Amino acid sequence: MTKKIAVLPGDGIGPEIVAEAVKVLECLRADGLDIEMNEAPVGGAGYEASGKPLPDDTLALAKESDAILLGAVGGYQWESLDISVRPEKGLLGLRAELELFSNLRPAILYKQLADASTLKPEVVSGLDIMIVRELTGGIYFGQPRGVRTLDNGERQGFNTLVYSESEIDRIGRSAFDIAMKRGKKVCSVDKANVLECTELWREVMEHVAKDYPEVELSHMYVDNAAMQLVRAPKQFDVMVTTNMFGDILSDCAAMLTGSIGMLPSASLDANGKGMYEPIHGSAPDIAGQNVANPLATILSVAMMLRYSLNQVVMAERIEQAVEKVLDQGLRTADIYSDGMQKVGGSEMGDAVVAAL
Ligand code: NAD
């Protein structure tokens, strides 16, 4: 049956990197991949089109699709808008409406780019971590929240960290399922020494682990996890953590690999439907110049094929094509080093298609 893909380019470099990923999908379609692609605005583009960062039609398209390919949202021109209509609300809305609770963020260091990391090659070479971040709960969504004025006239900001057992259980199972297909190690990151909510997190993780006897579960406080990620990152296989801790740790892990332009992500619901996007933002500083690296978005398509469309062989073909263009010495500006061939984003996309 034809699989429906919602294509949401978004803002800034979003449209140019998504165009390269669409080239890759078109190439695979010509090779037998049975897909239909439909495009819609989101983020700042959604706001301009309809006054909402997540237009109703875009949400409806996302809901009826099997998978969503997203570029990035945000830009200087929307920064002064009321927070309720800022571009980021489009993303948060999609995650919440589609119940995309499990965010998979791999941090892989390609051997060809070992020099791009700020860490010593022996610390990072061969790095392959999967961070599983809870995405629809925790302090980013907890109520009550806001800024209130106290009796003495002073303003006070407040947010709420809240997780129910079922929310912890399902993200735990997501992490353990992935660990079963990898190195069979899960490190759950919390702050159980200070936060009651993550004390419960730890307890539920222990409970989930009983159903996965082959997987080794360990626990780590988030401050130590941040330290260990830069000290000895190869000790980790799968890390599972809360929304906010995962937000921070996954960016840290991303930088171990050198370039933000290389890393894909997936956000999945309980049935394997997912939204796929690069981990970087809309990079307004380089938008429209054909210098943005499209590989993170192209690798997001590989994750889509693997996790939502059940096309593991095609996913591997994309990953091998990316390796091949790196072997050929092609580099966008963000991963360029002496002796390599500097190319623009569209040339990089064409090279991946040629390698496919
Ligand atoms: P960013 O990720 O957009 O950019 C950080 C730096 O990395 C910039 O110097 C940028 O030029 C560079 N960069 C990013 N992607 C690149 C690529 N593919 N190739 C080469 N270089 C790349 O983060 P930021 O500057 O903090 O935020 C810019 C805007 O993006 C803001 O409006 C922010 O809210 C938004 N944002 C969106 C998302 C998302 O859509 N998921 C995520 C983060 C930030």
Side-chain angles (χ1 to χ4, degrees), residues 116-162:
S117 178
T118 49
L119 273 74
K120 294 186 191 120
E122 62 269 27
V123 175
V124 287
S125 69
L127 184 75
D128 183 358
I129 304 177
M130 178 69 87
I131 297 193
V132 180
R133 164 188 171 195
E134 200 291 325
L135 202 59
T136 52
I139 198 164
Y140 289 180
F141 291 93
Q143 296 287 349
R145 61 191 296 154
V147 178
R148 59 191 163 207
T149 304
L150 302 175
D151 290 343
N152 66 3
E154 189 186 12
R155 287 187 307 151
Q156 183 186 57
F158 59 101
N159 290 88
T160 305
L161 173 61
V162 53

Side-chain angles (χ1 to χ4, degrees), residues 140-215:
Y140 289 180
F141 291 93
Q143 296 287 349
R145 61 191 296 154
V147 178
R148 59 191 163 207
T149 304
L150 302 175
D151 290 343
N152 66 3
E154 189 186 12
R155 287 187 307 151
Q156 183 186 57
F158 59 101
N159 290 88
T160 305
L161 173 61
V162 53
Y163 272 115
S164 60
E165 282 180 286
S166 58
E167 283 177 298
I168 306 169
D169 184 277
R170 67 179 183 178
I171 192 68
R173 286 179 197 283
S174 192
F176 277 85
D177 285 341
I178 289 162
M180 283 297 287
K181 297 179 192 154
R182 297 174 40 104
K184 299 201 169 91
K185 274 168 54 181
V186 170
C187 177
S188 171
V189 176
D190 60 41
K191 191 71 183 171
N193 51 342
V194 179
L195 301 171
E196 289 83 350
C197 181
T198 66
E199 208 177 331
L200 177 68
W201 176 281
R202 188 175 280 221
E203 208 179 284
V204 175
M205 284 295 158
E206 287 287 346
H207 185 74
V208 171
K210 293 198 171 81
D211 289 338
Y212 298 84
E214 286 177 56
V215 179

Side-chain angles (χ1 to χ4, degrees), residues 13 72-75 88 91 260-261 277 280-286 292-293 334:
I13 60 170
V73 299
E88 292 71 19
L91 257 190
I260 200 166
E277 54 181 315
H280 58 72
S282 56
D285 53 330
I286 56 168
N293 186 347
D334 57 311

